Amino acid sequence: MTKEERLKKRHRAEKRFRFYGLTSIFVALLFVIILVQNIFSKGSSAFKKTVISTEVFFDQELLEIQNGASQEEIMEADFYDIMIENLIKAYPAKDRDEEDELLKLFSGDAEIEIKKAFLNDNNLIGQTITLDLTASDDIDQLHKGNYPRDLPEERRRISDFQLVIYDYFVENKKISKNFNNYFFNNGDSRDPELAGIGGALVGSFYSILICLLLAFPVAVLASIYLEEFAPKNKITDFIEININNLAAVPSIVYGLLALQILLATIQLPRSTPLVAGITLALMTLPRIIIPCRASLKAVPPSIREGALAVGASKFQSVFHHVVPLALPGTLSGTIIGLAQALGETAPLILIGMVAFVVDIPSSPVDPSSSLPVQVYLWSESAERGFVEKTSATIMMLLSFLIVMNFIAVYLRQKFEKRWN
Amino acid sequence: MSNIKIKSKNLNVYYGDKQALFDVNLDLNEKEVTALIGPSGCGKSTFIRCINRMNDVIDICKVTGNIEMDGMNINDKDLDVVSLRERVGMVFQKPNPFPKSIYDNISYGPKIHGKGETKSELDQIVENSLKKSALWEEVKDRLDEPGTSLSGGQQQRLCIARAISVNPEVILMDEPCSALDPIATAKIEELIDELKKTYTIVIVTHSMAQAVRVSQKTGFFHLGKLIEVGKTEKIFKNPDNKMTQDYITGRFG
């Protein structure tokens, strides 16, 4: 082979490699785009809800309370009759059957929504106001265009008559889309239009908080001890190997461990953020120790020697110089560990967080859900409304993860000191 | 004429199975510069790291024999290394300022030893240390800037200022100029000349010329043994040992 031929061959190899590299990046990007596009197109409509603006007349005869009633009185009062009387006037129905079909277009919370309006202003008796009442899931999906109306009636959840009412509402501009506060404030529900991630958000928050409080101090102290103080011998090596092994243990194993020890033996309450937090802390511990030790190791020995040489004790050299320098790396490692814990589903399913919880937990020992488990739960539901809610929950989860990772990168770049 | 400040008797150092120093007997005179020369790996640095017990950092290092400062046994297991290092400062081969401000670099030592209770006392210590290390004029307006932003030579003088900030009796210098250019080196040498009025200085160097310029006494190490020690003039003009002669004339090393 001549020199020119060899040279050509080398250039060809380089070009080939560039092509392979670009292709793989392109394929990876394509997958990401497909995923994000899919989630967005399905999920973005969940942030809006369909409302039917309805005139509500507060008839004294149908209410057993007076104007100026106290909050407790209103809470106890029955608003059912008021609701029925007003809702059936929303469309000129001819008989009982038609009225029943009309009522099904409103959400199961219509009574509560009317009660809330009265709670805001307790002098409404004898007056008529216009309220935006949440529509049922079927109308919601129909109005968002997620529901094909050209199917034969027996294959539709909405009857022909209900379609007539819907068209009447549209014609009279009584139907519109509002910001979906229920999605953020409510707990889980059997009715998709009322279901929200409020409970899951609070549950995830408590779980991650407990995970942070348990895992961070233990991981940091363990790393500092192992890296700076522990004698270098076989036992230390053994511990190091096992920490690395623990980081690779499938998360479901931690769930089994928690099931046996925390729930069966110690008998902590099931389905609670407390147990979830402890389980996630166990899982996250080695995942924080590894980056933490790496950032301690990255501090050059000359800094330690410099401190020791002016008479600092070992403890002072570590805590005055090494730890502050390792802190950015430690913090970003912790945040990334927590981000992983936030998205963890399998161990939480094992400790019972997969239960159907309507109430928003008020403390870490209340039964609760969490964001990834909520995704899992809703993805199994048949109703169309839950499809968009599943995707919207994934969007929320992903945005939390992106924010956390962004903070981690920011901390590392901003506070990482350079030495030469 | 001079008092002996540090005296080593049959000092042996082992790194695991490997012996690094063999029966070193070396006296260092007070307020004098002693230069240690010899080829790489001959034990010069190991020797000076015995004086402030820096070898303690290395797990496998074992030191036997005697090394005394003013009659106090440095190698005593019960000795508090913190107070020893307050009396014996050290400057390293590569400048290693803390990644903190110039001010904090100097004030750290006094602070941990409880010197300079008030801010004004600390300010005074910082100013004096920087003046003694001939850095004050260059940095007095930017004490808040990071120590790492200085040039290599300035960083090394900052490290010298850091060492003298706790007012030690002895300063160990482990090839302090090996990472510096000739101009910065000249400045450090000038500084050493000035510092020897106050401190006992031991300097490890690979430069014969430097040893001649700054030291009064020179020790030549080879393969862990102290081959010859004496007045610098004598060592470089008329050494007793053939090996010393060969090394200083550049025939090996």
Side-chain angles (χ1 to χ4, degrees), chain A residues 82 106 155 172 208 212 229 244 248 253 260 266 283 305 309 315 323 333 350 373 382 402-403 405 420:
Chain A
I82 283 278
F106 293 87
R155 289 180 56 196
N172 291 291
I208 294 301
L212 172 70
F229 294 95
N244 289 333
V253 176
Q260 182 59 44
I266 310 183
M283 192 197 77
E305 288 195 325
F315 179 86
V323 171
L350 278 185
V373 177
I402 289 169
V403 168
N405 283 321
N420 38 355

Side-chain angles (χ1 to χ4, degrees), chain A residues 302 305 308 310-311 320-321 417, chain B residues 49 82 85 96 99 108 113:
Chain A
S302 66
E305 288 195 325
L308 290 175
V310 290
H320 293 171
H321 298 280
K417 299 225 172 153
Chain B
R49 288 168 68 97
V82 166
R85 288 174 192 154
N96 60 344
Y108 179 69
H113 292 299

Side-chain angles (χ1 to χ4, degrees), chain A residues 9 52 69 77 86 103 117 142 151 159 161 181 193 197 228 261 269 293 325 341 373 397 407-408 415:
Chain A
K9 204 178 160 201
I52 303 166
N86 284 294
L103 287 174
L142 180 71
L151 287 172
S159 66
F161 179 66
N181 54 332
E193 74 274 17
I197 56 168
E228 301 289 332
I261 293 177
R293 287 188 69 176
L325 288 173
V373 177
L397 190 57
I407 294 171
F415 295 105

Side-chain angles (χ1 to χ4, degrees), chain A residues 4-67:
Chain A
E4 280 84 44
E5 278 170 348
R6 239 192 344 266
L7 204 60
K8 259 186 193 159
K9 204 178 160 201
R10 276 159 59 188
H11 284 310
R12 271 202 308 276
E14 197 168 318
K15 264 188 194 148
R16 233 177 7 248
F17 179 76
R18 280 171 66 92
F19 173 75
Y20 294 151
L22 282 172
T23 314
S24 22
I25 288 177
F26 177 74
V27 171
L29 274 180
L30 193 71
F31 279 124
V32 172
I33 290 168
I34 290 172
L35 175 79
V36 170
Q37 199 270 337
N38 188 9
I39 293 171
F40 262 79
S41 64
K42 277 189 190 155
S44 51
S45 58
F47 296 106
K48 295 254 174 180
K49 66 170 181 181
T50 307
V51 291
I52 303 166
S53 73
T54 317
E55 291 196 341
V56 176
F57 172 62
F58 288 89
D59 193 344
Q60 178 70 72
E61 283 171 28
L62 297 172
L63 277 171
E64 63 264 40
I65 50 172
Q66 308 294 324
N67 265 339

Side-chain angles (χ1 to χ4, degrees), chain B residues 144-162:
Chain B
D144 291 337
E145 280 178 32
T148 43
S149 67
L150 299 172
S151 75
Q154 288 174 323
Q155 286 190 17
Q156 196 60 296
R157 276 180 283 150
L158 181 68
C159 292
I160 294 173
R162 184 175 70 189

